[in-house]
PDB file of all heavy atoms in Angstrom:
ATOM      1  N   ILE B   3      15.852 -23.060 -63.694  1.00  0.00           N
ATOM      2  CA  ILE B   3      15.764 -23.856 -62.488  1.00  0.00           C
ATOM      3  C   ILE B   3      14.472 -24.631 -62.521  1.00  0.00           C
ATOM      4  O   ILE B   3      13.410 -24.078 -62.612  1.00  0.00           O
ATOM      5  CB  ILE B   3      15.821 -22.968 -61.242  1.00  0.00           C
ATOM      6  CG1 ILE B   3      17.143 -22.213 -61.183  1.00  0.00           C
ATOM      7  CG2 ILE B   3      15.677 -23.817 -59.980  1.00  0.00           C
ATOM      8  CD1 ILE B   3      17.152 -21.131 -60.152  1.00  0.00           C
ATOM      9  N   ILE B  17       2.117 -50.444 -53.761  1.00  0.00           N
ATOM     10  CA  ILE B  17       3.411 -50.017 -53.201  1.00  0.00           C
ATOM     11  C   ILE B  17       3.322 -48.582 -52.665  1.00  0.00           C
ATOM     12  O   ILE B  17       3.794 -48.257 -51.593  1.00  0.00           O
ATOM     13  CB  ILE B  17       4.555 -50.113 -54.245  1.00  0.00           C
ATOM     14  CG1 ILE B  17       4.584 -51.522 -54.857  1.00  0.00           C
ATOM     15  CG2 ILE B  17       5.886 -49.691 -53.649  1.00  0.00           C
ATOM     16  CD1 ILE B  17       4.957 -52.605 -53.890  1.00  0.00           C
ATOM     17  N   LEU B  20       1.513 -48.620 -49.266  1.00  0.00           N
ATOM     18  CA  LEU B  20       2.151 -49.237 -48.143  1.00  0.00           C
ATOM     19  C   LEU B  20       2.542 -48.188 -47.102  1.00  0.00           C
ATOM     20  O   LEU B  20       2.835 -47.030 -47.451  1.00  0.00           O
ATOM     21  CB  LEU B  20       3.419 -49.990 -48.583  1.00  0.00           C
ATOM     22  CG  LEU B  20       3.315 -51.391 -49.124  1.00  0.00           C
ATOM     23  CD1 LEU B  20       4.715 -51.930 -49.401  1.00  0.00           C
ATOM     24  CD2 LEU B  20       2.629 -52.293 -48.113  1.00  0.00           C
ATOM     25  N   ASP B  21       2.568 -48.587 -45.862  1.00  0.00           N
ATOM     26  CA  ASP B  21       2.994 -47.699 -44.779  1.00  0.00           C
ATOM     27  C   ASP B  21       4.459 -47.264 -45.042  1.00  0.00           C
ATOM     28  O   ASP B  21       5.307 -48.089 -45.333  1.00  0.00           O
ATOM     29  CB  ASP B  21       2.897 -48.451 -43.489  1.00  0.00           C
ATOM     30  CG  ASP B  21       3.068 -47.491 -42.310  1.00  0.00           C
ATOM     31  OD1 ASP B  21       4.175 -46.895 -42.196  1.00  0.00           O
ATOM     32  OD2 ASP B  21       2.154 -47.331 -41.516  1.00  0.00           O
ATOM     33  N   ALA B  39      23.949 -61.643 -49.235  1.00  0.00           N
ATOM     34  CA  ALA B  39      23.949 -62.637 -50.328  1.00  0.00           C
ATOM     35  C   ALA B  39      25.305 -62.633 -51.019  1.00  0.00           C
ATOM     36  O   ALA B  39      25.959 -61.629 -51.174  1.00  0.00           O
ATOM     37  CB  ALA B  39      22.860 -62.249 -51.336  1.00  0.00           C
ATOM     38  N   LEU B  46      19.589 -63.669 -57.586  1.00  0.00           N
ATOM     39  CA  LEU B  46      18.411 -63.921 -58.412  1.00  0.00           C
ATOM     40  C   LEU B  46      17.157 -63.679 -57.575  1.00  0.00           C
ATOM     41  O   LEU B  46      16.209 -63.009 -58.032  1.00  0.00           O
ATOM     42  CB  LEU B  46      18.402 -65.368 -58.929  1.00  0.00           C
ATOM     43  CG  LEU B  46      17.293 -65.682 -59.932  1.00  0.00           C
ATOM     44  CD1 LEU B  46      17.515 -64.910 -61.234  1.00  0.00           C
ATOM     45  CD2 LEU B  46      17.206 -67.169 -60.225  1.00  0.00           C
ATOM     46  N   PHE B  49      16.708 -60.018 -57.167  1.00  0.00           N
ATOM     47  CA  PHE B  49      16.292 -59.434 -58.425  1.00  0.00           C
ATOM     48  C   PHE B  49      14.810 -59.676 -58.681  1.00  0.00           C
ATOM     49  O   PHE B  49      14.053 -58.756 -59.094  1.00  0.00           O
ATOM     50  CB  PHE B  49      17.123 -60.017 -59.598  1.00  0.00           C
ATOM     51  CG  PHE B  49      16.752 -59.461 -60.937  1.00  0.00           C
ATOM     52  CD1 PHE B  49      17.200 -58.202 -61.303  1.00  0.00           C
ATOM     53  CD2 PHE B  49      15.980 -60.204 -61.814  1.00  0.00           C
ATOM     54  CE1 PHE B  49      16.834 -57.656 -62.545  1.00  0.00           C
ATOM     55  CE2 PHE B  49      15.616 -59.677 -63.073  1.00  0.00           C
ATOM     56  CZ  PHE B  49      16.031 -58.410 -63.407  1.00  0.00           C
ATOM     57  N   ALA B  54       9.349 -57.584 -59.006  1.00  0.00           N
ATOM     58  CA  ALA B  54       7.928 -57.694 -58.692  1.00  0.00           C
ATOM     59  C   ALA B  54       7.446 -56.397 -58.077  1.00  0.00           C
ATOM     60  O   ALA B  54       6.385 -55.900 -58.442  1.00  0.00           O
ATOM     61  CB  ALA B  54       7.729 -58.835 -57.679  1.00  0.00           C
ATOM     62  N   ILE B  76      30.442 -44.478 -60.669  1.00  0.00           N
ATOM     63  CA  ILE B  76      30.881 -45.184 -59.506  1.00  0.00           C
ATOM     64  C   ILE B  76      30.854 -46.679 -59.797  1.00  0.00           C
ATOM     65  O   ILE B  76      31.789 -47.435 -59.451  1.00  0.00           O
ATOM     66  CB  ILE B  76      29.991 -44.887 -58.290  1.00  0.00           C
ATOM     67  CG1 ILE B  76      30.103 -43.392 -58.000  1.00  0.00           C
ATOM     68  CG2 ILE B  76      30.382 -45.682 -57.062  1.00  0.00           C
ATOM     69  CD1 ILE B  76      29.147 -42.893 -56.899  1.00  0.00           C
ATOM     70  N   ILE B  77      29.813 -47.159 -60.472  1.00  0.00           N
ATOM     71  CA  ILE B  77      29.723 -48.581 -60.784  1.00  0.00           C
ATOM     72  C   ILE B  77      30.883 -49.021 -61.680  1.00  0.00           C
ATOM     73  O   ILE B  77      31.604 -49.997 -61.360  1.00  0.00           O
ATOM     74  CB  ILE B  77      28.370 -48.923 -61.477  1.00  0.00           C
ATOM     75  CG1 ILE B  77      27.211 -48.677 -60.492  1.00  0.00           C
ATOM     76  CG2 ILE B  77      28.364 -50.342 -61.951  1.00  0.00           C
ATOM     77  CD1 ILE B  77      25.832 -48.998 -61.052  1.00  0.00           C
ATOM     78  N   ALA B 118      23.787 -51.811 -58.419  1.00  0.00           N
ATOM     79  CA  ALA B 118      22.610 -51.578 -59.301  1.00  0.00           C
ATOM     80  C   ALA B 118      21.332 -51.864 -58.535  1.00  0.00           C
ATOM     81  O   ALA B 118      20.395 -51.072 -58.538  1.00  0.00           O
ATOM     82  CB  ALA B 118      22.733 -52.413 -60.548  1.00  0.00           C
ATOM     83  N   ALA B 123      16.565 -50.186 -55.684  1.00  0.00           N
ATOM     84  CA  ALA B 123      15.669 -50.356 -54.535  1.00  0.00           C
ATOM     85  C   ALA B 123      15.395 -49.032 -53.857  1.00  0.00           C
ATOM     86  O   ALA B 123      14.217 -48.695 -53.580  1.00  0.00           O
ATOM     87  CB  ALA B 123      16.294 -51.342 -53.551  1.00  0.00           C
ATOM     88  N   VAL B 126      13.084 -46.878 -56.004  1.00  0.00           N
ATOM     89  CA  VAL B 126      11.680 -47.312 -55.952  1.00  0.00           C
ATOM     90  C   VAL B 126      11.025 -46.742 -54.681  1.00  0.00           C
ATOM     91  O   VAL B 126       9.922 -46.230 -54.709  1.00  0.00           O
ATOM     92  CB  VAL B 126      11.552 -48.830 -55.995  1.00  0.00           C
ATOM     93  CG1 VAL B 126      10.113 -49.247 -55.782  1.00  0.00           C
ATOM     94  CG2 VAL B 126      12.037 -49.332 -57.333  1.00  0.00           C
ATOM     95  N   PRO B 133       7.615 -37.032 -49.843  1.00  0.00           N
ATOM     96  CA  PRO B 133       8.631 -36.560 -48.911  1.00  0.00           C
ATOM     97  C   PRO B 133       8.053 -36.425 -47.455  1.00  0.00           C
ATOM     98  O   PRO B 133       8.765 -36.708 -46.505  1.00  0.00           O
ATOM     99  CB  PRO B 133       8.999 -35.190 -49.446  1.00  0.00           C
ATOM    100  CG  PRO B 133       8.672 -35.254 -50.883  1.00  0.00           C
ATOM    101  CD  PRO B 133       7.525 -36.207 -51.034  1.00  0.00           C
ATOM    102  N   ILE B 150      18.589 -41.613 -26.076  1.00  0.00           N
ATOM    103  CA  ILE B 150      19.939 -41.171 -25.918  1.00  0.00           C
ATOM    104  C   ILE B 150      20.068 -39.730 -26.389  1.00  0.00           C
ATOM    105  O   ILE B 150      21.095 -39.308 -26.916  1.00  0.00           O
ATOM    106  CB  ILE B 150      20.959 -42.096 -26.628  1.00  0.00           C
ATOM    107  CG1 ILE B 150      20.558 -42.267 -28.074  1.00  0.00           C
ATOM    108  CG2 ILE B 150      21.063 -43.410 -25.912  1.00  0.00           C
ATOM    109  CD1 ILE B 150      21.697 -42.839 -28.942  1.00  0.00           C
ATOM    110  N   VAL B 152      18.896 -37.902 -28.810  1.00  0.00           N
ATOM    111  CA  VAL B 152      18.942 -37.433 -30.203  1.00  0.00           C
ATOM    112  C   VAL B 152      17.626 -36.673 -30.480  1.00  0.00           C
ATOM    113  O   VAL B 152      16.572 -37.228 -30.229  1.00  0.00           O
ATOM    114  CB  VAL B 152      19.099 -38.640 -31.173  1.00  0.00           C
ATOM    115  CG1 VAL B 152      19.077 -38.158 -32.620  1.00  0.00           C
ATOM    116  CG2 VAL B 152      20.368 -39.370 -30.901  1.00  0.00           C
ATOM    117  N   ALA B 158      13.101 -34.080 -37.756  1.00  0.00           N
ATOM    118  CA  ALA B 158      11.983 -34.247 -38.683  1.00  0.00           C
ATOM    119  C   ALA B 158      11.381 -32.902 -39.024  1.00  0.00           C
ATOM    120  O   ALA B 158      11.002 -32.639 -40.192  1.00  0.00           O
ATOM    121  CB  ALA B 158      10.938 -35.180 -38.101  1.00  0.00           C
ATOM    122  N   GLU B 173      12.758 -20.005 -56.223  1.00  0.00           N
ATOM    123  CA  GLU B 173      12.139 -18.876 -56.905  1.00  0.00           C
ATOM    124  C   GLU B 173      12.862 -17.561 -56.619  1.00  0.00           C
ATOM    125  O   GLU B 173      13.094 -16.769 -57.464  1.00  0.00           O
ATOM    126  CB  GLU B 173      10.692 -18.731 -56.380  1.00  0.00           C
ATOM    127  CG  GLU B 173       9.623 -19.016 -57.365  1.00  0.00           C
ATOM    128  CD  GLU B 173       8.279 -19.162 -56.660  1.00  0.00           C
ATOM    129  OE1 GLU B 173       7.835 -18.186 -56.048  1.00  0.00           O
ATOM    130  OE2 GLU B 173       7.724 -20.280 -56.706  1.00  0.00           O
ATOM    131  N   PHE B 189      26.850 -14.178 -64.577  1.00  0.00           N
ATOM    132  CA  PHE B 189      26.960 -15.471 -63.902  1.00  0.00           C
ATOM    133  C   PHE B 189      27.373 -16.553 -64.873  1.00  0.00           C
ATOM    134  O   PHE B 189      27.522 -17.699 -64.455  1.00  0.00           O
ATOM    135  CB  PHE B 189      25.632 -15.835 -63.246  1.00  0.00           C
ATOM    136  CG  PHE B 189      25.183 -14.875 -62.170  1.00  0.00           C
ATOM    137  CD1 PHE B 189      24.093 -14.038 -62.388  1.00  0.00           C
ATOM    138  CD2 PHE B 189      25.907 -14.823 -60.979  1.00  0.00           C
ATOM    139  CE1 PHE B 189      23.718 -13.186 -61.402  1.00  0.00           C
ATOM    140  CE2 PHE B 189      25.506 -13.945 -60.011  1.00  0.00           C
ATOM    141  CZ  PHE B 189      24.393 -13.114 -60.208  1.00  0.00           C
ATOM    142  N   LEU B 204      24.968 -12.925 -55.554  1.00  0.00           N
ATOM    143  CA  LEU B 204      23.769 -13.739 -55.533  1.00  0.00           C
ATOM    144  C   LEU B 204      23.556 -14.361 -54.149  1.00  0.00           C
ATOM    145  O   LEU B 204      22.437 -14.358 -53.611  1.00  0.00           O
ATOM    146  CB  LEU B 204      23.904 -14.865 -56.584  1.00  0.00           C
ATOM    147  CG  LEU B 204      22.871 -15.998 -56.522  1.00  0.00           C
ATOM    148  CD1 LEU B 204      21.479 -15.467 -56.792  1.00  0.00           C
ATOM    149  CD2 LEU B 204      23.242 -17.101 -57.506  1.00  0.00           C
ATOM    150  N   LEU B 205      24.676 -14.849 -53.586  1.00  0.00           N
ATOM    151  CA  LEU B 205      24.518 -15.560 -52.323  1.00  0.00           C
ATOM    152  C   LEU B 205      24.229 -14.666 -51.143  1.00  0.00           C
ATOM    153  O   LEU B 205      23.500 -15.016 -50.271  1.00  0.00           O
ATOM    154  CB  LEU B 205      25.833 -16.387 -52.058  1.00  0.00           C
ATOM    155  CG  LEU B 205      26.018 -17.557 -53.049  1.00  0.00           C
ATOM    156  CD1 LEU B 205      27.310 -18.250 -52.785  1.00  0.00           C
ATOM    157  CD2 LEU B 205      24.843 -18.477 -52.938  1.00  0.00           C
ATOM    158  N   PHE B 209      21.145 -15.302 -48.613  1.00  0.00           N
ATOM    159  CA  PHE B 209      21.305 -15.661 -47.221  1.00  0.00           C
ATOM    160  C   PHE B 209      20.590 -14.695 -46.322  1.00  0.00           C
ATOM    161  O   PHE B 209      19.892 -15.121 -45.379  1.00  0.00           O
ATOM    162  CB  PHE B 209      22.802 -15.739 -46.852  1.00  0.00           C
ATOM    163  CG  PHE B 209      23.383 -17.101 -47.034  1.00  0.00           C
ATOM    164  CD1 PHE B 209      23.775 -17.526 -48.320  1.00  0.00           C
ATOM    165  CD2 PHE B 209      23.462 -17.970 -46.001  1.00  0.00           C
ATOM    166  CE1 PHE B 209      24.264 -18.791 -48.492  1.00  0.00           C
ATOM    167  CE2 PHE B 209      23.950 -19.261 -46.166  1.00  0.00           C
ATOM    168  CZ  PHE B 209      24.356 -19.659 -47.413  1.00  0.00           C
ATOM    169  N   ALA B 216      13.526 -17.131 -41.819  1.00  0.00           N
ATOM    170  CA  ALA B 216      13.614 -18.045 -40.672  1.00  0.00           C
ATOM    171  C   ALA B 216      13.074 -17.346 -39.461  1.00  0.00           C
ATOM    172  O   ALA B 216      12.335 -17.930 -38.661  1.00  0.00           O
ATOM    173  CB  ALA B 216      15.057 -18.506 -40.481  1.00  0.00           C
ATOM    174  N   MET B 223       5.429 -19.599 -35.960  1.00  0.00           N
ATOM    175  CA  MET B 223       5.262 -20.917 -35.308  1.00  0.00           C
ATOM    176  C   MET B 223       4.934 -20.718 -33.832  1.00  0.00           C
ATOM    177  O   MET B 223       4.114 -21.426 -33.253  1.00  0.00           O
ATOM    178  CB  MET B 223       6.531 -21.738 -35.454  1.00  0.00           C
ATOM    179  CG  MET B 223       6.675 -22.284 -36.857  1.00  0.00           C
ATOM    180  SD  MET B 223       8.297 -23.025 -37.159  1.00  0.00           S
ATOM    181  CE  MET B 223       8.073 -24.622 -36.346  1.00  0.00           C
ATOM    182  N   ALA B 225       3.379 -18.166 -32.594  1.00  0.00           N
ATOM    183  CA  ALA B 225       2.014 -17.693 -32.503  1.00  0.00           C
ATOM    184  C   ALA B 225       1.005 -18.833 -32.647  1.00  0.00           C
ATOM    185  O   ALA B 225      -0.135 -18.728 -32.206  1.00  0.00           O
ATOM    186  CB  ALA B 225       1.742 -16.656 -33.582  1.00  0.00           C
ATOM    187  N   THR B 232       6.333 -31.402 -27.018  1.00  0.00           N
ATOM    188  CA  THR B 232       5.489 -31.576 -25.830  1.00  0.00           C
ATOM    189  C   THR B 232       3.999 -31.481 -26.178  1.00  0.00           C
ATOM    190  O   THR B 232       3.585 -30.492 -26.789  1.00  0.00           O
ATOM    191  CB  THR B 232       5.809 -30.527 -24.728  1.00  0.00           C
ATOM    192  OG1 THR B 232       6.124 -29.290 -25.382  1.00  0.00           O
ATOM    193  CG2 THR B 232       6.970 -30.940 -23.856  1.00  0.00           C
ATOM    194  N   LYS B 238      -2.426 -37.217 -39.136  1.00  0.00           N
ATOM    195  CA  LYS B 238      -2.398 -38.495 -39.809  1.00  0.00           C
ATOM    196  C   LYS B 238      -1.719 -39.527 -38.947  1.00  0.00           C
ATOM    197  O   LYS B 238      -0.532 -39.430 -38.730  1.00  0.00           O
ATOM    198  CB  LYS B 238      -1.701 -38.378 -41.157  1.00  0.00           C
ATOM    199  CG  LYS B 238      -2.569 -37.614 -42.134  1.00  0.00           C
ATOM    200  CD  LYS B 238      -1.970 -37.505 -43.512  1.00  0.00           C
ATOM    201  CE  LYS B 238      -2.896 -36.710 -44.392  1.00  0.00           C
ATOM    202  NZ  LYS B 238      -2.173 -35.910 -45.372  1.00  0.00           N
ATOM    203  N   ARG B 243      -1.631 -51.942 -41.887  1.00  0.00           N
ATOM    204  CA  ARG B 243      -2.788 -52.630 -42.392  1.00  0.00           C
ATOM    205  C   ARG B 243      -2.388 -54.022 -42.898  1.00  0.00           C
ATOM    206  O   ARG B 243      -1.249 -54.425 -42.797  1.00  0.00           O
ATOM    207  CB  ARG B 243      -3.368 -51.838 -43.593  1.00  0.00           C
ATOM    208  CG  ARG B 243      -4.032 -50.569 -43.186  1.00  0.00           C
ATOM    209  CD  ARG B 243      -4.263 -49.695 -44.426  1.00  0.00           C
ATOM    210  NE  ARG B 243      -4.228 -48.299 -44.070  1.00  0.00           N
ATOM    211  CZ  ARG B 243      -5.230 -47.622 -43.516  1.00  0.00           C
ATOM    212  NH1 ARG B 243      -6.357 -48.223 -43.243  1.00  0.00           N
ATOM    213  NH2 ARG B 243      -5.084 -46.331 -43.211  1.00  0.00           N
ATOM    214  N   SER B 257      14.090 -63.452 -46.853  1.00  0.00           N
ATOM    215  CA  SER B 257      15.333 -63.627 -46.086  1.00  0.00           C
ATOM    216  C   SER B 257      15.646 -65.078 -45.801  1.00  0.00           C
ATOM    217  O   SER B 257      16.779 -65.509 -45.784  1.00  0.00           O
ATOM    218  CB  SER B 257      15.322 -62.749 -44.855  1.00  0.00           C
ATOM    219  OG  SER B 257      14.143 -62.922 -44.162  1.00  0.00           O
TER     220      SER B 257
END
Side-chain angles (χ1 to χ4, degrees):
Chain B
I3 299 168
I17 305 296
L20 276 184
D21 190 299
L46 186 67
F49 179 77
I76 298 175
I77 294 182
V126 172
I150 54 164
V152 178
E173 245 167 64
F189 297 110
L204 167 65
L205 292 178
F209 268 83
M223 287 170 78
T232 37
K238 287 183 181 145
R243 289 167 210 279
S257 49

